[in-house]
Amino acid sequence: MTETEDFDTQTTKEKIFTAAVRLFAERGFHGTSIRELAREVGIKESSVYNHFPGKNAIMQAILDYHRQGFQTASEELTKSDLPFDDTTDPVEFWMMGAAEFLKHQPPLSQQISIILTNEMYLNKQCRKFFLDTMFDIQKVLTENILREMYSRGMIIDCDFRKTAEQYVYFIQGISIETNLMLMDGKNEAERQQHLFEHIALFIGRLKKQ
Amino acid sequence: MTETEDFDTQTTKEKIFTAAVRLFAERGFHGTSIRELAREVGIKESSVYNHFPGKNAIMQAILDYHRQGFQTASEELTKSDLPFDDTTDPVEFWMMGAAEFLKHQPPLSQQISIILTNEMYLNKQCRKFFLDTMFDIQKVLTENILREMYSRGMIIDCDFRKTAEQYVYFIQGISIETNLMLMDGKNEAERQQHLFEHIALFIGRLKKQ
DNA sequence: GTCTATAATCTGATAGAC
DNA sequence: GTCTATCAGATTATAGAC
C-alpha cells in the first residue's frame, strides 16, 4: 500500500484503502460499515473481501502504512542538513526544521492521526501506535535537535529531555485544537499563524540572551 | 443527573447514566449497544427507554452533566483564596492551585473527558463541548491566575494570554499520554511525579530571577 | 417501571455463478 | 475480480401485558 495517486489510476485495493482512511477519520471505525465503504469505492461489499480479509485487516493496513511512512519521514529529517551560520536565529532555525518535518510527512498522515486519536482509548494496538509515533519518536527527534542547537551555541543549557517532552505535549494540544477548529470552518492561514507564534514563543524562551 | 453515590443507592436512571459513562469511555459510543448497557445495569433493554428516549439522549445527558460540573468547578476555583505571602514560591503556589482545581473536578469527569476525546472528531456537539471546556475555559482560568501571580510580583512580565494557551496545550498533551499509559498498566504515582516535574519546569521558567 | 415479544433495519461475512 | 443471493446475528426502537 504505497501509492496514493489520483483516484482513477489507483487499483481497487488502493481505492478501498484511501476511502477507508477518509471514512474512518470522518465517522470512526465502528461508525463505518463495509457496505458504505464499498459504495464509496463503487463496488459491491462482497468484492471488498477479495482485497482484505475483513474490516480489522483494513485498519491493520492503515497502521502498517502509517508506521512505515512515519519512520521514513523521521529518518529523512535526521539526515537532512539544515543551513545555518553564527547569526542564525534559533526560532528561524526551528521553523526551518518544522517545515522540513512537515514536508516529509506521508500523504494521508493527517487523516490517519485523526483515526488514531479516535481509536487510541478503544483499541490497544492504536494506543501503542499512538504512544510510539506521537510521543516517543517525536520526543527523541526534538531532543536531538535541541542538543544540536545547544552545541552550536544557539540556545541556553537546560534539561533537553524534559524540554523536548514539553514541546511534544504542547504540539499535541495545539494540533488537536487546530484540527477541531478547521473542521468547524476556522480559517487555516489564521491557525498556521497561531501555531508559528506559539512555536516562536516556546523556542524564544530558550534563546541565549 | 446529580448523584453519583454507591451503585445500590442509585435510581435506575442514575445506574444507566453511570454505566453509560463507563461503557462509552471503554468501548466508545458506537461500540456500546443499548443491550450491553441494560445488561450492565441488570434490566432489559426495553426498560432503558423508560428513562431515556434513545442512545443519543444518554450522550446528551452526559454532556449536560459535565457542562454543569465543569462550570461549578471553575467558579469554585475562581472564588477560592489561596494562601500566600512574599516568600511563596510561584511553583508551590501553582501546585496549590492545581490541587484545588483537581479537588473541585466533578466525579466521572475523567471518564467523560475520554468520551469527549473519542467523539470530538466524530460528533459536532462533542467537538464544540471539547473546545469550550478543554480549551477556552481553561485558558481563561490559567490566564487569570498568571495575571494574579504577576500582580503579586511572583512571576516575570510576559504575554499572559499566549503563556496560558501554551500551558493548556501542554496539559492536554501530557494528560493524553498519562491516560494512555495508565490504561496499559503504567504506575500512577510515577505519572503524577512526571506531571509535577513538568509543571515545575513550565512555571519555573516564569519565575523572577 | 419492568417485562416479553417483535418489528425493521443493519452488520460482517460467505457461497457460488460468471 | 466482480457480481447476486443469502446468512446468522446484532442493532435501535416500539407495542402491549403485568
Side-chain angles (χ1 to χ4, degrees):
Chain A
M1 200 63 56
T2 53
E3 309 203 20
T4 49
E5 302 146 34
D6 286 349
F7 197 77
D8 295 336
T9 67
Q10 288 181 317
T11 66
T12 303
K13 185 168 187 173
E14 287 163 351
K15 284 182 191 173
I16 294 171
F17 181 85
T18 53
V21 169
R22 197 171 63 75
L23 289 174
F24 287 175
E26 274 177 18
R27 313 181 188 190
F29 178 73
H30 279 98
T32 304
S33 66
I34 302 278
R35 241 185 204 52
E36 249 175 328
L37 180 55
R39 183 156 39 81
E40 195 78 4
V41 175
I43 59 176
K44 295 295 174 184
E45 52 179 319
S46 57
S47 298
V48 173
Y49 291 91
N50 269 317
H51 303 281
F52 294 97
K55 204 177 163 185
N56 284 321
I58 301 177
M59 176 63 99
Q60 188 62 56
I62 292 173
L63 294 185
D64 290 344
Y65 166 87
H66 195 58
R67 174 169 285 120
Q68 199 184 350
F70 194 84
Q71 196 172 336
T72 306
S74 301
E75 287 166 2
E76 284 299 318
L77 179 65
T78 305
K79 277 193 300 187
S80 70
D81 261 326
L82 295 174
F84 81 102
D85 57 45
D86 289 348
T87 65
T88 307
D89 182 73
V91 173
E92 197 182 326
F93 182 80
W94 192 271
M95 293 303 187
M96 285 194 301
E100 187 76 7
F101 184 66
L102 288 175
K103 203 182 74 184
H104 287 121
Q105 286 301 300
L108 305 180
S109 71
Q110 205 165 351
Q111 283 177 303
I112 296 177
S113 295
I114 289 177
I115 296 174
L116 288 173
T117 306
N118 289 340
E119 298 296 320
M120 65 184 174
Y121 288 130
L122 310 176
N123 179 323
K124 185 159 185 169
Q125 211 177 349
C126 286
R127 181 156 60 250
K128 176 173 168 31
F129 194 91
F130 194 88
L131 282 170
D132 287 350
T133 60
M134 295 307 197
F135 288 108
D136 284 358
I137 297 179
Q138 294 197 18
K139 283 178 189 173
V140 172
L141 279 174
T142 306
E143 184 181 352
N144 288 343
I145 297 172
L146 287 175
R147 287 189 189 283
E148 180 72 20
M149 289 171 79
Y150 173 69
S151 76
R152 291 174 183 185
M154 294 167 83
I155 58 171
I156 56 173
D157 192 14
C158 63
D159 187 331
F160 298 117
R161 173 65 184 179
K162 278 210 134 37
T163 304
E165 286 179 346
Q166 204 158 100
Y167 181 79
V168 169
Y169 297 143
F170 148 68
I171 288 291
Q172 260 303 310
I174 200 170
S175 298
I176 288 176
E177 190 189 56
T178 294
N179 283 339
L180 294 175
M181 284 182 166
L182 291 181
M183 289 179 83
D184 283 345
K186 181 86 177 181
N187 180 275
E188 190 162 357
E190 210 173 297
R191 289 301 304 181
Q192 190 82 348
Q193 178 64 20
H194 181 77
L195 174 65
F196 279 176
E197 284 173 14
H198 264 292
I199 293 180
L201 177 63
F202 190 100
I203 302 299
R205 285 219 175 90
L206 307 175
K207 206 185 295 191
K208 279 207 165 156
Q209 302 310 327
Chain B
M1 201 62 55
T2 52
E3 308 202 21
T4 49
E5 302 147 36
D6 286 347
F7 197 76
D8 295 335
T9 68
Q10 289 181 318
T11 66
T12 303
K13 185 167 186 174
E14 287 163 352
K15 284 183 192 171
I16 295 170
F17 181 85
T18 53
V21 169
R22 196 170 63 74
L23 289 174
F24 288 176
E26 274 177 19
R27 315 181 187 189
F29 178 74
H30 279 98
T32 304
S33 65
I34 301 279
R35 233 196 251 321
E36 251 175 327
L37 181 54
R39 182 156 40 80
E40 195 79 5
V41 175
I43 56 175
K44 295 295 173 184
E45 52 180 316
S46 56
S47 298
V48 173
Y49 292 91
N50 267 318
H51 304 281
F52 295 96
K55 205 175 161 185
N56 284 320
I58 300 178
M59 176 64 99
Q60 187 61 54
I62 293 173
L63 294 185
D64 290 343
Y65 166 86
H66 195 57
R67 175 171 285 120
Q68 199 184 352
F70 194 85
Q71 196 171 337
T72 305
S74 302
E75 287 167 2
E76 285 297 317
L77 180 66
T78 304
K79 277 193 300 187
S80 69
D81 260 326
L82 295 174
F84 81 104
D85 56 45
D86 289 349
T87 65
T88 307
D89 183 73
V91 173
E92 198 182 327
F93 182 81
W94 192 272
M95 294 304 185
M96 286 194 301
E100 186 76 6
F101 184 65
L102 288 175
K103 203 181 73 183
H104 287 121
Q105 287 300 301
L108 304 179
S109 72
Q110 205 165 351
Q111 283 177 303
I112 296 177
S113 295
I114 289 178
I115 297 174
L116 287 173
T117 306
N118 288 341
E119 297 295 321
M120 65 186 175
Y121 287 131
L122 309 176
N123 178 322
K124 185 160 184 171
Q125 212 177 348
C126 287
R127 180 155 61 250
K128 177 173 167 29
F129 195 90
F130 194 88
L131 282 170
D132 287 349
T133 62
M134 296 306 198
F135 288 108
D136 285 358
I137 297 180
Q138 295 197 18
K139 282 179 188 172
V140 172
L141 279 174
T142 306
E143 184 182 351
N144 288 343
I145 297 173
L146 287 175
R147 287 190 188 283
E148 181 73 20
M149 288 170 80
Y150 173 69
S151 75
R152 292 173 182 186
M154 294 167 84
I155 59 171
I156 58 174
D157 193 14
C158 64
D159 186 331
F160 298 117
R161 173 64 184 179
K162 279 210 134 36
T163 304
E165 285 178 347
Q166 205 157 98
Y167 181 79
V168 169
Y169 296 143
F170 148 68
I171 288 291
Q172 261 301 312
I174 200 170
S175 298
I176 287 175
E177 189 189 53
T178 294
N179 283 340
L180 294 175
M181 285 184 165
L182 291 182
M183 290 179 82
D184 284 345
K186 182 85 176 181
N187 181 276
E188 191 163 355
E190 212 173 295
R191 288 302 303 181
Q192 189 83 348
Q193 179 64 19
H194 180 77
L195 174 64
F196 279 175
E197 284 172 15
H198 263 292
I199 292 180
L201 178 64
F202 190 100
I203 302 300
R205 285 219 175 90
L206 306 175
K207 206 186 296 191
K208 279 207 165 158
Q209 303 309 327

